[in-house]
Amino acid sequence: MQPQPPNPKHKRMKREKQTIAYMVDIYCKNHHSTKDELCAECKEFKEYALLRLDKCPFQEKKTTCGKCVIHCYRLDMKQKAKIVMRYSGPRMILRHPGSVLHHAWDSRRKPPTLAKKSV
């Protein structure tokens, strides 16, 4: 069975992207006093996170990134993700409860394993 190519247009991946976008928006608004646009640092992080989701080998079968067997973020971006998520996570409950429920449900998934490459 051949692995499926990444499908960033799948509804699960769209939901993941929307969730990280909400989190970055909340963080930037409250830490950098922005209103409609993100600061340069948060914009860079958001674009990076969305790119990593596009390239995720698991796509719609993925669990949450924290439980993933592959840690595809650069170290600096991984630290930024932790900061953003720790701050925004609790605030998401009031602002975007549907995203929180989906994220909680997705975190119950078992992490998929990578298929071994045959030589």
Side-chain angles (χ1 to χ4, degrees):
M1 189 168 125
Q2 287 191 343
Q4 291 185 322
N7 182 9
K9 298 196 185 300
H10 189 276
K11 67 180 180 177
R12 165 100 169 74
M13 297 311 293
K14 287 181 182 178
R15 193 172 68 231
E16 284 281 317
K17 289 178 183 180
Q18 189 65 56
T19 300
I20 192 68
Y22 287 149
M23 293 179 114
V24 174
D25 292 347
I26 290 169
Y27 178 84
C28 191
K29 181 179 179 182
N30 293 338
H31 280 82
H32 304 134
S33 302
T34 58
K35 295 209 183 233
D36 295 330
E37 288 189 26
L38 297 175
C39 70
E41 177 187 344
C42 290
K43 185 176 181 179
E44 177 188 8
F45 172 71
K46 183 177 175 180
E47 289 171 359
Y48 180 81
L50 296 177
L51 177 68
R52 297 313 316 156
L53 283 170
D54 281 343
K55 294 185 181 231
C56 177
F58 302 123
Q59 293 295 303
E60 64 269 8
K61 292 179 175 52
K62 75 186 280 314
T63 183
T64 55
C65 292
K67 294 174 88 178
C68 190
V69 296
I70 300 174
H71 297 288
C72 59
Y73 278 52
R74 289 188 328 241
L75 190 57
D76 61 327
M77 291 296 188
K78 186 176 179 180
Q79 292 298 83
K80 180 73 173 179
K82 284 182 181 182
I83 292 167
V84 168
M85 290 180 185
R86 281 190 182 137
Y87 179 81
S88 300
R91 288 156 181 83
M92 290 279 291
I93 295 169
L94 296 175
R95 293 187 176 107
H96 303 286
S99 292
V100 173
L101 291 173
H102 281 293
H103 188 74
W105 182 258
D106 292 338
S107 71
R108 296 177 50 100
R109 292 173 176 245
K110 286 187 177 183
T113 57
L114 282 177
K116 293 183 180 180
K117 291 183 180 179
S118 56
V119 182

